[in-house]
Amino acid sequence: MALLPNTAQAAGTYPDPRPLTGQQIIHDPTVIRLKSGRYVAYSTGGVIGARLSRDGKQWDDAGNAFAEPPSWWYEYNDTGDPWAPDISYRAGRYWLYYAVSSWGTNHSAIGVATSRTGLPGTWTDHGKVFASETTDHWNAIDPALIKADGKLWMSFGSYWTGIRMVELDPGTGKAVPGTTVHHLATRPDLPYAVEGPYIVRHGRHYYLFASYDACCAGVNSTYRIKVGRSTDIRGPYVDSTGKPLLEGGGDLLLEGHGRYIGTGGQSVFQDKGKDWLAYHYYDAEDNGTPKLGLNRLTWKPNGWPTVR
């Protein structure tokens, strides 16, 4: 009972997202500032839906990453529907990772495409990066990339015992053959409702952000963002009390408040030396429509992140 006042106080301090205009509808956003100076956001929906902005505030619909789904996607769902992309820049190219699956199964795959400009309509698909089957204890969706210790890593995972990570070949961008599947976070109870990992480095720590509880239910969504950290990219990740994320730990970073329901599907991007948290929320004042949330991500003296 002693925790309740602190919890209520924390909830009261959650900032609203940055005011945006234009096309704000989005789900599972990944955002980057392109070399051209424009911003692009890719997302679940369409054939990887795209939004473009010149200032990070006014967003315009920019179609889709692909004109048509690559044929191999249909192995994982009947509609060729991609989920939860991740964009990054490396070796002179933009890399777009994404997942294809069906609701409620871990017969899933992560794929990758590259582009010289990062703009919609310019992507070349390179096929599967990593896959999971119903016999696995993980689910190959929600990819996110990070370079660490001279290696390239991809975190991923949704339910099915939580968050995992594998090493990628920097040349192909695909999983190293026989790579170890590292376990980073889970919950002690079924259905292990944690997904959408994103890892960033700050100072001497790696910070693992993940979405907990239920998405995709409009105003009934309970998505919220938690975080833990480790000095080793492979873990163990712990929260500020020292509780491992493999034992259900995690500091609450952002949850629903006011009209902004079910905050999650997050990613982090840098712009002009500042860190930003991108996520979706369900707008309680617009029939639960999923929209883009952007907040500055800052760091406390003790190293832990906070949003403002």
Side-chain angles (χ1 to χ4, degrees):
M1 295 296 294
L3 292 177
L4 291 178
N6 291 334
T7 302
Q9 183 179 9
T13 64
Y14 292 124
D16 293 345
R18 180 185 200 178
L20 303 178
T21 56
Q23 178 54 277
Q24 301 172 50
I25 299 173
I26 209 164
H27 208 276
D28 304 321
T30 180
V31 180
I32 197 171
R33 190 179 190 201
L34 301 170
K35 298 295 183 181
S36 66
R38 287 195 288 178
Y39 301 83
V40 64
Y42 288 102
S43 66
T44 299
V47 197
I48 307 181
R51 309 282 183 265
L52 285 171
S53 175
R54 294 191 180 278
D55 59 6
K57 299 176 182 178
Q58 164 70 32
W59 292 85
D60 299 309
D61 191 347
N64 299 278
F66 298 98
E68 295 181 355
S71 60
W72 71 267
W73 291 6
Y74 292 98
E75 177 185 344
Y76 294 91
N77 61 57
D78 293 338
T79 56
D81 185 27
W83 298 350
D86 173 73
I87 190 171
S88 55
Y89 183 81
R90 179 174 57 82
R93 291 188 290 175
Y94 292 92
W95 299 72
L96 188 66
Y97 286 76
Y98 57 84
V100 282
S101 185
S102 296
W103 192 265
T105 180
N106 65 333
H107 172 62
S108 311
I110 292 166
V112 65
T114 57
S115 166
R116 292 292 180 183
T117 66
L119 292 170
T122 68
W123 295 95
T124 299
D125 190 64
H126 302 290
K128 296 181 191 180
V129 170
F130 188 74
S132 60
E133 299 299 339
T134 56
T135 52
D136 291 320
H137 297 295
W138 54 80
N139 191 9
I141 70 168
D142 295 358
L145 275 285
I146 182 172
K147 292 185 289 185
D149 302 325
K151 297 180 179 180
L152 187 63
W153 302 91
M154 180 181 73
S155 59
F156 64 93
S158 170
Y159 292 67
W160 275 274
T161 73
I163 307 305
R164 305 280 176 154
M165 187 178 70
V166 293
E167 184 183 349
L168 302 184
D169 180 323
T172 65
K174 299 183 178 183
V176 171
T179 182
T180 298
V181 181
H182 300 279
H183 200 185
L184 306 185
T186 190
R187 301 179 73 168
D189 55 329
L190 289 170
Y192 311 113
V194 52
E195 59 188 1
Y198 198 92
I199 301 174
V200 298
R201 183 169 185 174
H202 180 77
R204 66 187 188 92
H205 287 96
Y206 297 96
Y207 291 80
L208 170 60
F209 300 82
S211 296
Y212 284 65
D213 295 320
C215 87
C216 313
V219 294
N220 296 316
S221 302
T222 55
Y223 242 15
R224 52 203 176 117
I225 302 168
K226 289 188 174 185
V227 62
R229 73 183 185 184
S230 172
T231 54
D232 188 323
I233 186 67
R234 297 164 297 182
Y237 289 84
V238 300
D239 64 21
S240 61
T241 71
K243 186 173 183 178
L245 269 61
L246 281 171
E247 297 176 13
D251 286 355
L252 187 58
L253 179 71
L254 182 65
E255 67 178 350
H257 57 286
R259 69 187 290 181
Y260 309 103
I261 306 301
T263 55
Q266 76 293 322
S267 59
V268 177
F269 70 99
Q270 275 204 331
D271 182 27
K272 302 175 184 177
K274 298 177 180 178
D275 295 320
W276 288 84
L277 181 74
Y279 57 93
H280 67 252
Y281 66 89
Y282 301 92
D283 190 345
E285 296 183 8
D286 189 14
N287 299 311
T289 299
K291 295 183 178 179
L292 176 62
L294 295 175
N295 286 84
R296 275 286 311 281
L297 187 69
T298 59
W299 305 87
K300 300 175 184 177
N302 63 7
W304 288 95
T306 186
V307 291
R308 63 183 181 91

